[in-house]
Amino acid sequence: MLGRIVLTIIGIIVATPIALILLTMWLQRGEHEPTFYVRVTVDMVVNDQPVHMERVITCETVALGNAGLETLFKRAYTEYRPYPLAFGERLPDQSAVMMWTPYECDREEFLDTEGKTQIRARQNAPDYVPRIGWTPSYSPIETLEYYIDRKSFTHPNRRIKNIKIHSELLSDSGFPFYKPIEKPSKPDDFVWFTGIKPPNKHKKVLFVAFYAQVLTEKKWRGYNTLIDAELDSYNSPQRVAHRPELNQNSPIYLIDKMFRDLGYSRELATGYGGHGVSSQSLNKNTPVLGFGVDLSEQDLIVQLLPEDGVITVSNNNTWDRLVFRKEPDGQKRNDSSWMKYSDKDFLVNGQLIKPNKFNTSTYFLFDPESQDLFSVKRSLFQVYPERDNPLFQSANEGQ
């Protein structure tokens, strides 16, 4: 009898922590179900040539946030993340096209022909903005065109058009594990396109694009009498004066505030920073908006292409993509001075504007003839390809 009591006590002592562990695991279960698989098919026309890409995407449940006592008995916050995050295709003319994976692992319920509830992959919203890149030569990549705005795919000069994306669920219903019907795709040579830094050692490659945000006279005149007087005093194209003795009434400060007040302060984002689609969660009715830049109709942004150290600035009303160029090998990326424009000449309406002693990451240029006011900026796209990636054989490995 005593032996049974002892064994029972020992059993309780052993079983209690196991039960607590199992209970905690159940309480902390993820908000999402296990991994599932989807075939993503992409068809588009690139330079008038049809391009077809197809990948079997793995949708893994990823835990978010830090574990602590406050989350000990709460369900873990998780999200689905598609793998690979980006893919691409080499084309016969030595060019290449690449894109973020255009599916954020979202599913929806529907009724089949027998009236039973089934689950399928949710298609992208009609106004979905894919992040797409194109390079004229992939051996190695020196120039990269980046499509990030809805206008990019409606512009008359667009290189990429007629994009069609379809997602098809490929998992069986064997809960708690979903098995792929087809072999999942592995990351290809274009997975670097997201700009995400991997945990292991990779090369560090920097691409730079110049562009200008433009205010016509109709927009800037009348905003501030000091700005009007300053710009009216210019007889030839030039930089907007700094005048530090005026403090906050310095022309560049007033104009910088004007650009921000008119909604032009945002930078053009490049790296992977969130959902790449417009989708809606299976369990929530709130839409998840895409991460694409949506420039409004009144925004005027012009592409600037430096040639031999000179940046020509003009309001040519052309905007359909950012054109990035790889920074030369040996660029001092740990030196903050390379971020500034002190080594660049600007050409505005035939007038060569030389660098001055005042360095800033943003330059304001004014053309008295056209009455256009330009805010010149640069967009940086830093990527981390694998060291043996054939697309970057000549790239500097970085530090």
Side-chain angles (χ1 to χ4, degrees):
M1 184 69 175
L2 181 60
R4 291 182 179 180
I5 294 175
V6 172
L7 290 175
T8 300
I9 293 173
I10 294 175
I12 293 174
I13 293 174
V14 173
T16 298
I18 296 176
L20 289 174
I21 292 173
L22 293 175
L23 177 62
T24 302
M25 292 176 62
W26 182 80
L27 291 173
Q28 290 186 310
R29 67 194 186 280
E31 292 183 348
H32 293 74
E33 295 177 357
T35 298
F36 65 94
Y37 306 86
V38 171
R39 182 197 295 117
V40 175
T41 303
V42 180
D43 288 284
M44 65 180 76
V45 175
V46 181
N47 288 334
D48 297 326
Q49 297 298 316
V51 175
H52 176 82
M53 291 186 286
E54 194 171 298
R55 299 291 189 277
V56 175
I57 302 301
T58 301
C59 288
E60 294 185 1
T61 300
V62 179
L64 301 176
N66 298 323
L69 293 177
E70 69 277 4
T71 61
L72 186 60
F73 299 108
K74 296 181 180 179
R75 292 191 67 172
Y77 178 65
T78 58
E79 71 173 12
Y80 282 124
R81 189 166 297 172
Y83 291 95
L85 286 171
F87 55 84
E89 197 79 21
R90 293 176 175 86
L91 305 181
D93 61 357
Q94 302 302 306
S95 66
V97 64
M98 64 222 73
M99 67 189 309
W100 291 2
T101 297
Y103 177 68
E104 280 292 327
C105 299
D106 195 17
R107 293 171 293 180
E108 63 182 358
E109 294 179 345
F110 72 101
L111 296 178
D112 62 16
T113 55
E114 298 179 358
K116 295 181 180 180
T117 300
Q118 305 289 350
I119 295 179
R120 63 188 175 192
R122 184 187 294 275
Q123 304 303 315
N124 293 330
D127 61 346
Y128 162 60
V129 180
R131 284 293 181 95
I132 294 180
W134 177 86
T135 181
S137 176
Y138 56 77
S139 183
I141 294 179
E142 298 289 342
T143 301
L144 181 65
E145 295 186 2
Y146 206 122
Y147 290 75
I148 61 174
D149 170 39
R150 285 178 173 83
K151 291 181 182 177
S152 297
F153 302 101
T154 60
H155 194 281
N157 295 332
R158 67 191 185 279
R159 189 184 305 279
I160 299 173
K161 55 187 177 181
N162 299 343
I163 304 172
K164 297 179 181 179
I165 302 170
H166 181 75
S167 302
E168 178 186 359
L169 192 64
L170 292 181
S171 302
D172 64 17
S173 58
F175 185 85
F177 300 104
Y178 296 95
K179 298 179 181 179
I181 297 176
E182 298 181 12
K183 186 177 180 180
S185 299
K186 295 182 179 180
D188 59 25
D189 291 335
F190 296 91
V191 71
W192 55 268
F193 183 61
T194 61
I196 295 176
K197 185 178 181 179
N200 54 339
K201 293 183 179 180
H202 284 62
K203 293 179 179 180
K204 181 168 63 175
V205 181
L206 183 70
F207 289 91
V208 179
F210 290 89
Y211 64 99
Q213 297 172 323
V214 188
L215 291 183
T216 60
E217 182 182 10
K218 183 179 179 180
K219 287 193 173 184
W220 62 259
R221 186 171 294 281
Y223 171 86
N224 186 300
T225 56
L226 294 177
I227 293 177
D228 292 354
E230 177 69 26
L231 299 183
D232 287 340
S233 69
Y234 297 166
N235 298 318
S236 61
Q238 66 180 76
R239 300 179 192 269
V240 173
H242 176 32
R243 307 190 201 285
E245 70 277 5
L246 297 180
N247 298 319
Q248 295 305 312
N249 284 328
S250 175
I252 66 166
Y253 293 144
L254 294 175
I255 288 176
D256 181 62
K257 183 178 185 302
M258 177 175 62
F259 269 92
R260 287 187 281 109
D261 288 347
L262 294 177
Y264 286 82
S265 60
R266 64 184 180 276
E267 300 289 344
L268 297 180
T270 51
Y272 194 91
H275 295 276
V277 302
S278 296
S279 61
Q280 188 168 308
S281 170
L282 182 64
N283 299 318
K284 299 178 182 178
N285 293 323
T286 304
V288 178
L289 298 180
F291 187 65
V293 175
D294 191 8
L295 301 175
S296 60
E297 288 300 323
Q298 68 269 19
D299 289 341
L300 181 54
I301 292 182
V302 294
Q303 179 75 57
L304 307 179
L305 298 176
E307 295 292 343
D308 298 325
V310 177
I311 301 178
T312 300
V313 182
S314 64
N315 183 359
N316 54 18
N317 294 318
T318 59
W319 164 259
D320 61 332
R321 72 203 78 158
L322 273 180
V323 180
F324 285 90
R325 295 184 179 180
K326 187 173 73 67
E327 281 290 274
D329 294 344
Q331 180 71 55
K332 296 180 179 179
R333 296 171 192 165
N334 294 325
D335 181 3
S336 61
S337 64
W338 73 270
M339 292 282 291
K340 301 176 181 178
Y341 301 162
S342 57
D343 61 337
K344 298 292 189 298
D345 295 334
F346 293 99
L347 187 66
V348 181
N349 199 9
Q351 177 72 43
L352 186 64
I353 303 174
K354 302 293 291 185
N356 58 16
K357 295 181 180 180
F358 180 72
N359 293 327
T360 177
S361 59
T362 301
Y363 278 100
F364 299 110
L365 304 174
F366 183 67
D367 180 8
E369 182 175 328
S370 67
Q371 294 288 293
D372 290 329
L373 179 61
F374 301 91
S375 173
V376 179
K377 295 184 178 181
R378 70 191 305 175
S379 182
L380 307 177
F381 186 28
Q382 189 162 277
V383 300
Y384 301 87
E386 294 184 351
R387 293 187 179 278
D388 59 350
N389 190 314
L391 307 178
F392 294 91
Q393 285 298 324
S394 64
N396 191 28
E397 292 187 4
Q399 300 297 326

